[in-house]
Structures are given as structure tokens and as C-alpha cells.
Amino acid sequence: MDHGKPRVPAAGPRCPSLGMWASKAGISRYSVPPPISRTWTMVNEARGSGGSSSGSEGSKDSSRCSTPGLDPERHERLREKMRRRMESGDKWFSLEFFPPRTSEGAANLISMFDQMAAGGPLFIDVTWHPAGDPGSDKETSSMMIASTAVNYCGLETMLHMTCCQQSPEAITGHLYKAKQLGIKSILALRGDPIGDQWEAEEGGFDHATDLVKHIRSEFGDYFDICVAGYPKGHPEAGSFEEDLRHLKEKVSAGADFIISQLFFEANTFFHFVKACDDIGITCPILPGIFPIQSYSSLRQLVKLSKLEVPQEIKDVIEPIKDNDAAICNYGIELAVSLSRELLVSGLVPGLHFYTLNRKMATTSVLKRLGMWTEDPRRPLPWAVSAHPKRREEDVRPIFWASRPKSYIYRTQDWNEFPNGRWGNSSSPAFGELKNYYLFYLKSKSPRQELLKMWGEELRSEESVFEVFAHYISGEPNRHGYKVTCLPWNDEPLAAETSLMKKQLLRVNRLGILTVNSQPNVNGRPSSDPIVGWGPSGGYVFQKAYLEFFTSRETVEALLQVMKKYELRVNYHIVDVKGENITNAPELQPNAVTWGIFPGREIIQPTVVDPVSFMFWKDEAFALWIEQWGKLYDEESPSRMIIQYIHDNYFLVNLVDNEFPQDSCLWQVVEDAFELLNRPAGLKGEAEAQ
């Protein structure tokens, strides 16, 4: 434990160059990568692709093969997914969310997207609020929330679009932007009036039918279009029959499916479906399910929808209207009963839930119905994006394994993405990450919570070691708080970390501050709950990988002992200024994860790429300051300790190429510390050997 006055390391003289260390250690095979430009323009000739030098095109040119998609739904549009599910009899669910009002709410909603994605929704939709600048780049806008769900959460996402206070030209602009952002589905609505009465926009649209026609006229078949249906008729319609005729007009204009407004009794929906069938509406109709969660939310939604709550529901709710927990439990029971009645009827292909941006009630209903299906097997070892241009992507550098949203952000301007293999490492071009506080990149934990986890006062480098160790162990720190995240990983530890927990705990306590790792795997089934990924019937493989920050003294010892492992272990070592050394042959990428599946070519989804590592190191070092150091006052001892580590430590990655054998990386580290702990005379003898 640390006692007394905080100990801030002195900066000291610069250490000898890595090249000098390597020569002194007698390492015969190493290379120092040339300086790398941090611009979008990178050299492309080595890819043999015709010489385009645009960074946005410089990623996928390397791919010479196109492997069959591991997840067929990545290649299908929403209506195709629906059709396939209906043909197989597989029921689905979808979820509606609305944009929050604050940046903190936006970050929390994106976190909820990640959590809700685990249950397997077919799609989500995001509402459009004219008063909230919905088409802007604000982090609370409908457009940005929907874009984030698609690009960073990998969710098929439908964006609401309304006619309210919008000219046709403005609507077209929003749709072009949605298309560019990867959104492929639109829920076309007239929209609610801003005041008590609908006021037409001059030259604008008065009906959703006009909006559907406009979308088809301007964008052809690009968007899948959904429209709203009203099981009891729209409140402004002259009659139920008149509203049905308007609904048929919307479908005839080009709508692909219908989502109903909420209702409280199954017979209401059955009558609606039959009436639609009688009038010739044959597209899928999804029932809108609203789990009642509180008395106030029920009153607000009823007011907006102008629906009448059945008396039997009022009789239950009125006596408990001040008890939100009791109302929520009743709402769950009611939604489960309604959903079961709908599902057994055979008339519904899936269920659409109005979540009110709350997780508990909807997930409880879905779990009770057996529709919440958390499959531990992943399509790929990393989080995929749902943007159409990334549908072929199946290879990434391993460095962003715990920060997939950052990787997607930094490659968002690429036109093509690696498929089949990463290729020659001469020209990946990564966008610069200047804003570490984008709502989908910043930590979900507030500042005070981070301080409780990482230390309100650091007293030495060893204080930092302990933070890493507590993250690995899962045990509370000395103040009783569990460390559930680090700047490089805002999520709990991956399941495969449990396979290395003992070794990781030991090395972190010694100052090997790990930010990424994976165990060696030799032919485990793709269905393995810990390391499995990809389709059933396959086998997966991994080389042991270890990435960490450590002191210059430890790096010097590592280079000394690396002679013994030179033919087995690839390494890359870099400091914050970019001085680096690697023994990667000709700077070629090294496949560290691959899989073999029936009827497919070998898939290698993660690589260690020396050039990409140099782009990652900028981000990895910056996180020390941006996410951790800035928690403290600028001149405080705690800030100075983090600054010292940032300025003087090295980022190291090690790959053990002998994946069929037990990993030797732990022994490499042990040998380095054994050398460090030798008396000075014996240490000199070791260097001379």
C-alpha cells in the first residue's frame, strides 16, 4: 500500500533509442517502421489496385477474395429479413425509441442500444421530433441517434420522417443525409400538429401518402418504407372505413409494411387485420405493444393517441396509480397476456414494442414470451456495423477490439473495407480522433464514479498498477468500489479473459498494464460459449496476444530476453513520440484469429498490423490524458503521475505464433522481470551472453 506523501516520478533523461537497445541485446532481426503521415492521403501502389491514393479508398483494395457472408442478414434489406422470417415461421420483435434531450441522455441511450441488441431485435426505430432539430448533427437529433444505432451499434434502424413543418426540398435533403449515413428504412408519417390543429406547410405535404410517393419518386426502391395503421381508425378520420381507404392508398403508393398504433385488446387488432385483408391490404402488419410502466406515462400516451383505456384496466390501475412498481408489474402481465394471444392467433409475424426508452419492462415481457434470445456466439469476434457499405467487412486490426466504435469512427470515410484478408500494410488511412467526448465514444460512467474507481488521489505509479489489477480481479478497491472499466475498455471484461485471469492479475501488479489480450485457441468449436464465433459446425483458432503499457526499464529487459523467443514471438514496441521497433517481417500483418466453417474459405477476422498499430498508439496514449488525467487538477500529483506514464511508458504488443502450444508470453514477461531483479553484476553477465 502507498503511504505518506504522493510520489511523482521525475522525468529524467531520455532513454537510449530502441535501436540501440536492440543492438545491445544482440537481436539480429528487427525493423524500424518509417515515419507515418497522419493524413488521409496514403501510398496505395503496394496493393496493386490501380494506384488510388485516397484514404477513403485505401482500405479494401487489399482484398483479393470475397468470402461468403458469415451472417446472411447483414446482406439483406429489412423487408427481405421479414420475408425470410415469415417463411420460416420465426417470430421477431422490434423496438421504438425517441431522441433524448441531453448529451448525457444520448450517451445513456446508446448504451441501452448495446444492451438491447443482445436480445436480437429485428430492427429498431427512432422517432422524429420537429421541435428538436431532428435532421441536424446534434447528438440529440433523431438523425444522429439513428445513425449511431446503425453505424456504431450494428442495429438495423428505421428513421421516422414526418411532413410537419417541412418543405419537399427539406425532406429530400434529410433523406439524402439518411442514405449517406447508412439508414435504409423510413417510417413515413404525416406527424402530429405542433398546436391543436394541423397547419399545412406552404407547398408541403398534408398526408403520409404524399410522403410515401415522394420517397419513391426521389429514391426509387432504395428505402424500405413503413407506414402507421390505426386499429380503431385515425382520430381525425371521418370513419374507420375512410381511414382504411387512406391506409390502402399509403400501401399502394409504395409502403412495404405497417406498424399499428398501440391498443389494449387482441380482438381490436384481429378486427383491424381482417378489415385490411377485406380491402386488399396484404403487406405485413405488426402490432404495436405498449407495456404500461407508470400512471403518468399511460395518461400522456393516451392523450397523444386519443385512445380510450378499457374500463377493466382503469379499475386495476386507479387504486395503485401512486405505486409505479405495482403499475409496471401489472403492465408487464398485461403485455405478456396480450402478446401471447396475438402470437397464437397466427395473424402476426412479429411484435413491435413502444419502449419509452426504458429497458426493464420490455425485456421482461420478451423473456416471459421466450423471444429474448441472447446467443453467446458472435457472427465475428468484433462488433459489426449495419451500414450497407460495411456489409462485406470481415477483417480488422485487433488493437480496437475493446473500442469498436472508435474504429468505426476513424474508418467512416473509407469507401470499401477489407474482406477475406487485410492485405499489405502499406496504406491503411485512419481518420484522426480529435474529440474523445463524442457521446458514443465517451465513458458511460460520470466523473465522480470514475474517480471512485480509478482513485481520487494517486500516490505513485503503483497506485495505477492497482487500478488495473482490480479491473482484472473484479474485487473492490481499497475504498470498496469495483473497477468496472478502464479508459481503453468501457465494458466489463470479455469472457475469454477468465482463461488468463491469474496470469493477467500477476503481470498487471508488476507494471505490465494490459489493455488487450487473447488466449491461444486451437480448433475449438464455433459454438464454444467463451471463444466461439461464426456459423455452427465450424472451428476457431487464435494466437496468444498481449498488449500493454510498461516502463522503459521493463522494455529494455524484454528486448534482452526476446533473443530466446525471436523465432516464435513477434513484437512491436513504441513510445508516445513514435520511436518504435518491430520484428514483423517486412511489416506484414499477422493473422491472430481465424475460423474454418463448412462450405467456406478460411475467415481471418483479426490481424496484428504494424502500420495500423502506429495509428492506434496515438489513440492509446491519448486516452491516458483525455479519459484519466483530466479527472484531476492540472498541477496535482495525480495528474503528474498519469502524465509521467503517458510521456515515459511504452506500448508493446506480443504475438506467440505457436498457437498449438501453451502460450509462452507469460514466460517472456517472467524472464524479463527475473532479469530486472538480478543483482547488477549478474545482469551485466546476462547482457554479455
Side-chain angles (χ1 to χ4, degrees):
M1 295 181 62
D2 302 314
H3 299 281
K5 186 178 179 181
R7 176 167 55 84
V8 180
R14 290 292 299 169
C15 58
S17 73
L18 287 170
M20 290 176 60
W21 276 351
S23 299
K24 184 178 179 182
I27 296 175
S28 58
R29 184 169 62 91
Y30 68 88
S31 57
V32 179
I36 297 174
S37 170
R38 295 309 189 267
T39 69
W40 282 99
T41 305
M42 301 289 288
V43 180
N44 245 337
E45 290 82 350
R47 293 186 182 271
S49 62
S52 169
S53 61
S54 168
S56 63
E57 299 175 355
S59 166
K60 186 176 176 289
D61 299 353
S62 61
S63 174
R64 298 275 67 82
C65 64
S66 181
T67 57
L70 294 178
D71 181 5
E73 287 200 349
R74 288 181 71 192
H75 300 262
E76 293 176 336
R77 56 194 305 164
L78 181 54
R79 67 185 184 213
E80 292 169 348
K81 296 176 185 180
M82 288 184 175
R83 185 182 303 115
R84 187 159 59 84
R85 297 285 188 99
M86 293 171 68
E87 290 171 352
S88 68
D90 183 16
K91 306 298 184 185
W92 73 79
F93 71 90
S94 50
L95 307 166
E96 179 171 294
F97 301 92
F98 61 84
R101 295 182 178 180
T102 66
S103 58
E104 292 78 10
N108 290 336
L109 184 58
I110 300 312
S111 176
M112 186 185 297
F113 286 169
D114 289 334
Q115 296 168 43
M116 298 295 271
L122 185 65
F123 66 93
I124 70 166
D125 67 296
V126 178
T127 62
W128 185 270
H129 292 284
D133 202 4
S136 73
D137 291 336
K138 295 178 181 177
E139 55 195 28
T140 55
S141 74
S142 301
M143 189 75 74
M144 285 301 101
I145 294 295
S147 170
T148 303
V150 169
N151 289 284
Y152 298 98
C153 303
L155 288 165
E156 179 77 49
T157 303
M158 181 166 64
L159 176 66
H160 290 213
M161 186 66 61
T162 75
C163 308
C164 186
Q165 294 187 332
Q166 297 201 97
S167 67
E169 293 76 19
I171 290 172
T172 299
H174 291 321
L175 291 168
Y176 269 114
K177 184 174 183 177
K179 180 179 178 181
Q180 182 183 30
L181 292 171
I183 297 166
K184 300 173 290 181
S185 303
I186 298 294
L187 176 51
L189 303 159
R190 186 201 70 172
D192 296 321
I194 298 297
D196 293 333
Q197 299 292 326
W198 174 261
E199 295 183 8
E201 180 79 10
E202 185 175 351
F205 303 135
D206 284 340
H207 304 287
T209 302
D210 301 324
L211 179 54
V212 174
K213 290 178 179 178
H214 179 75
I215 295 171
R216 288 291 179 231
S217 172
E218 294 293 323
F219 295 90
D221 200 40
Y222 176 80
F223 289 107
D224 289 331
I225 301 176
C226 175
V227 293
Y230 298 85
K232 288 197 170 185
H234 193 283
E236 296 179 21
S239 66
F240 178 73
E241 291 72 21
E242 178 188 325
D243 189 52
L244 275 182
R245 289 194 295 273
H246 290 317
L247 180 58
K248 185 174 182 182
E249 289 173 1
K250 289 189 281 188
V251 174
S252 299
D256 297 295
F257 63 102
I258 298 166
I259 292 177
S260 87
Q261 189 187 50
L262 66 97
F263 53 92
F264 297 100
E265 296 170 315
N267 285 334
T268 301
F269 185 77
F270 296 152
H271 174 262
F272 174 62
V273 171
K274 184 179 185 306
C276 287
D277 186 60
D278 290 344
I279 202 173
I281 296 173
T282 59
C283 66
I285 304 175
L286 302 183
I289 308 297
F290 169 59
I292 300 170
Q293 302 183 51
S294 69
Y295 187 72
S296 60
S297 65
L298 175 62
R299 288 186 62 186
Q300 179 67 14
L301 212 58
V302 166
K303 178 182 177 182
L304 290 173
S305 60
K306 298 181 173 63
L307 286 177
E308 185 66 31
V309 180
Q311 187 61 46
E312 56 266 33
I313 295 179
K314 290 181 180 179
D315 291 342
V316 174
I317 286 182
E318 283 296 332
I320 58 173
K321 63 182 181 181
D322 295 324
N323 188 337
D324 281 353
I327 289 181
C328 186
N329 288 334
Y330 172 68
I332 290 170
E333 293 295 331
L334 201 65
V336 169
S337 176
L338 175 62
S339 298
R340 283 177 175 158
E341 194 172 352
L342 293 168
L343 291 169
V344 298
S345 72
L347 295 175
V348 302
L351 304 173
H352 186 71
F353 286 86
Y354 298 107
T355 70
L356 299 186
N357 287 13
R358 298 178 186 174
K359 179 178 67 171
M360 190 277 288
T362 301
T363 54
S364 296
V365 172
L366 289 166
K367 288 176 180 178
R368 292 270 297 276
L369 295 172
M371 297 179 72
W372 184 268
T373 55
E374 291 195 30
D375 187 351
R377 188 173 62 245
R378 306 155 291 172
L380 287 162
W382 32 262
V384 300
S385 168
H387 196 296
K389 72 178 182 179
R390 301 186 87 114
R391 61 165 54 105
E392 300 292 341
E393 179 186 26
D394 65 8
V395 188
R396 289 182 186 174
I398 196 172
F399 317 122
W400 285 270
S402 296
R403 288 178 59 81
K405 290 181 175 65
S406 172
Y407 179 82
I408 292 168
Y409 175 82
R410 297 186 68 176
T411 58
Q412 63 182 317
D413 290 333
W414 291 5
N415 289 334
E416 295 182 297
F417 295 86
N419 169 256
R421 66 186 182 92
W422 182 256
N424 186 283
S425 66
S426 62
S427 57
F430 294 90
E432 191 172 354
L433 181 58
K434 295 180 179 179
N435 187 351
Y436 288 80
Y437 303 96
L438 293 168
F439 70 99
Y440 44 82
L441 296 182
K442 68 180 182 181
S443 176
K444 296 185 289 289
S445 302
R447 179 177 181 272
Q448 286 304 317
E449 193 172 318
L450 293 175
L451 284 169
K452 290 174 181 177
M453 289 191 285
W454 301 346
E456 296 193 12
E457 182 182 28
L458 302 176
R459 309 191 71 84
S460 66
E461 292 170 68
E462 287 73 19
S463 299
V464 176
F465 301 176
E466 282 301 306
V467 174
F468 278 78
H470 283 294
Y471 178 63
I472 298 294
S473 71
E475 297 295 323
N477 61 22
R478 69 184 64 181
H479 302 294
Y481 297 100
K482 288 190 175 183
V483 180
T484 59
C485 65
L486 289 174
W488 305 268
N489 192 346
D490 203 42
E491 303 294 338
L493 289 168
E496 67 180 10
T497 304
S498 63
L499 304 177
M500 310 172 287
K501 188 171 182 178
K502 180 180 177 182
Q503 296 93 330
L504 286 168
L505 192 55
R506 170 168 168 74
V507 301
N508 276 276
R509 284 175 172 156
L510 292 172
I512 298 287
L513 306 179
T514 58
V515 294
N516 197 352
S517 61
Q518 71 177 30
N520 63 304
V521 173
N522 185 21
R524 297 292 294 272
S526 60
S527 58
D528 186 282
I530 296 179
V531 298
W533 56 272
S536 299
Y539 294 90
V540 297
F541 302 79
Q542 293 181 174
K543 295 177 182 178
Y545 176 75
L546 195 62
E547 182 182 332
F548 53 90
F549 290 97
T550 196
S551 68
R552 63 181 70 177
E553 294 80 12
T554 305
V555 164
E556 185 171 14
L558 281 170
L559 285 170
Q560 290 285 343
V561 304
M562 206 65 74
K563 290 182 291 183
K564 188 165 61 172
Y565 303 94
E566 184 71 15
L567 298 178
R568 178 170 174 173
V569 176
N570 284 120
Y571 61 83
H572 197 164
I573 304 169
V574 63
D575 68 5
V576 69
K577 293 185 176 180
E579 184 185 2
N580 73 108
I581 185 170
T582 178
N583 66 346
E586 299 180 0
L587 304 182
Q588 290 295 315
N590 186 350
V592 291
T593 309
W594 63 99
I596 300 173
F597 305 97
R600 304 172 189 267
E601 296 180 6
I602 294 175
I603 310 296
Q604 54 172 53
T606 58
V607 299
V608 170
D609 172 46
V611 177
S612 300
F613 186 61
M614 295 297 287
F615 287 97
W616 160 246
K617 74 91 181 169
D618 292 335
E619 181 175 338
F621 274 103
L623 286 167
W624 279 108
I625 305 300
E626 298 293 338
Q627 300 282 17
W628 197 337
K630 288 185 178 179
L631 295 176
Y632 309 109
D633 293 338
E634 193 164 350
E635 299 299 325
S636 67
S638 297
R639 176 69 172 267
M640 293 170 68
I641 288 168
I642 296 299
Q643 188 71 53
Y644 175 84
I645 292 174
H646 169 272
D647 294 346
N648 293 277
Y649 275 41
F650 289 81
L651 182 63
V652 180
N653 75 58
L654 305 176
V655 179
D656 181 1
N657 292 297
E658 294 289 347
F659 65 90
Q661 301 181 30
D662 291 340
S663 171
C664 71
L665 300 185
W666 310 114
Q667 192 58 51
V668 170
V669 174
E670 291 293 339
D671 288 354
F673 279 106
E674 191 275 331
L675 178 60
L676 278 174
N677 292 328
R678 287 183 189 176
L682 293 177
K683 192 181 299 185
E685 292 177 11
E687 293 175 357
Q689 289 178 356

